Amino acid sequence: MRVACLSGGVGGAKLACGLQDVLAPGELTVIGNVGDDVEVLGLHVAPDLDSVLYALAGLNDEERGWGRAGETWRALEAARHWGGEGWFMLGDLDLGLHLVRTQALRTGDPLSAVTARLAEAAGLATLVLPATDDPLRTSVVTPGGTFPFQEWFVARRHEDEVDAMVFAGADAARPAPGVLEAIRDADALVVAPSNPYTSIHPILAVDGLRETVVARRERTVAVSPLVGGRAVKGPLDRMLMRMSGGTSPAHVARCYEGLIGALVIDRADAPAESDVPLVVTDTLMTDRDAGRRLAEVVLEAVA
Ligand code: FO1
């Protein structure tokens, strides 16, 4: 069974792990958001792709949610000591990946080729594709101004309310090689329990992506990132309330209007009504087994 998964960072990475565990090697393709990418200390950091790579390879820090397990921070301490920027936490192990990626990008390799090499180095059979190789950067429009995504998320601790998102470069961004084919040819397309506004919409903003998903909507299932109307992590509940007027499954489904054939929701959010069929299960991925169980339910929903 061929499965494609649209994914942001932490929640997406967990479900991708579950899908990888229940599928045969090579059956899963993860298409990751690059709108959160940021240049720090001259290095190209791709947080969502890295969360997926690290989780699939079993290298991720489960408690923190991002970065690597067993991380140390000596290089960052040294950078701060010498007056370098220190607001974005880059660990020593993590930095190794950013060095390799940045060097390859500087020699002209596309992000998709570099990501494929990183996945291969991690021993993954799963294909990890950036949505686009072209520059696409998310900014967040707030009452206090418009901020680059990571400035809002990390430096300002996503405290500002959000009025809108801007995906700079989306007009010119073409899908990375293999992205449209993976979406079109998959037996099931899964939209991970990531923040629709910050993680999934920038993927869909890439040229041809949305249309390709619309064309196969019946075999596409999204997993709601809410449990009991609250975000498992991050600012999604506040964003939904302000931009969509509520945090029910119907409000989540509306973020994917015309794109999905079913929405998987947590038991804590049922009973509920929505324009798309709802599948009720436990969506909280507290450990790898829970991710595997959720993956099974998700795949059954499109069978
Ligand atoms: N999140 C934070 O809240 N603070 C950080 O300093 C931080 C550093 C960081 C470094 C590498 C990386 O891959 C992710 C990192 N994240 C950090 C997480 C990241 O900002 C978010 O997970 C995503 O961009 C949201 O999907």
Side-chain angles (χ1 to χ4, degrees):
M1 182 185 200
R2 278 169 304 180
V3 177
C5 175
L6 308 186
S7 174
V10 182
K14 283 186 179 176
L15 183 60
C17 272
L19 289 166
Q20 181 178 255
D21 284 347
V22 301
L23 291 166
E27 286 188 327
L28 176 65
T29 300
V30 181
I31 297 160
N33 171 40
V34 294
D36 297 11
D37 287 16
V38 61
E39 183 142 318
V40 185
L41 294 165
L43 301 174
H44 183 113
V45 183
D48 284 358
L49 293 179
D50 294 347
S51 291
V52 170
L53 281 174
Y54 288 153
L56 292 176
L59 298 170
N60 58 312
D61 185 302
E62 287 182 14
E63 207 170 307
R64 201 169 50 244
W66 49 268
R68 285 192 55 169
E71 189 59 281
T72 52
W73 308 92
R74 299 204 61 198
L76 186 71
E77 281 162 23
R80 283 180 180 149
H81 175 80
W82 296 113
E85 54 181 327
W87 63 280
F88 199 75
M89 300 285 287
L90 296 179
D92 299 331
L93 297 172
D94 197 24
L95 274 165
L97 185 155
H98 306 316
L99 289 169
V100 170
R101 175 194 287 125
T102 304
Q103 185 194 28
L105 291 173
R106 291 223 175 110
T107 62
D109 288 348
L111 182 60
S112 55
V114 185
T115 308
R117 287 208 297 275
L118 295 171
E120 197 189 332
L124 300 183
T126 296
L127 212 57
V128 180
L129 299 175
T132 180
D133 282 330
D134 298 319
L136 186 160
R137 291 293 172 272
T138 300
S139 290
V140 185
V141 181
T142 81
T146 300
F147 303 101
F149 179 81
Q150 296 296 354
E151 192 178 325
W152 169 73
F153 193 85
V154 173
R156 300 178 70 86
R157 297 194 299 269
H158 46 73
E159 280 169 2
D160 315 79
E161 298 299 339
V162 180
D163 290 319
M165 312 294 295
V166 177
F167 306 123
D171 287 350
R174 293 148 303 159
V179 165
L180 293 187
E181 294 80 353
I183 294 172
R184 199 185 299 137
D185 300 343
D187 299 301
L189 175 64
V190 179
V191 181
S194 302
N195 183 320
Y197 298 112
T198 63
S199 298
I200 304 299
H201 288 177
I203 298 177
L204 295 167
V206 171
D207 187 35
L209 249 291
R210 179 175 282 275
E211 295 77 0
T212 308
V213 176
V214 168
R216 54 144 313 133
R217 64 177 285 192
E218 293 310 325
R219 288 166 303 125
T220 299
V221 59
V223 181
S224 170
L226 298 181
V227 175
R230 304 293 303 269
V232 176
K233 204 168 184 233
L236 174 61
D237 40 16
R238 278 167 47 225
M239 294 176 76
L240 262 174
M241 192 57 94
R242 186 171 169 95
M243 291 196 279
S244 297
T247 61
S248 72
H251 290 96
V252 175
R254 226 163 282 151
C255 293
Y256 300 128
E257 205 165 352
L259 297 165
I260 57 173
L263 178 70
V264 176
I265 63 166
D266 193 83
R267 289 185 204 286
D269 294 297
E273 284 183 13
S274 139
D275 291 342
V276 293
L278 299 174
V279 177
V280 180
T281 189
D282 297 313
T283 62
L284 204 54
M285 292 175 278
T286 42
D287 57 23
R288 205 154 173 144
D289 272 347
R292 211 172 288 144
R293 282 194 298 274
L294 179 58
E296 276 164 359
V297 173
V298 166
L299 295 180
E300 269 166 33
V302 270

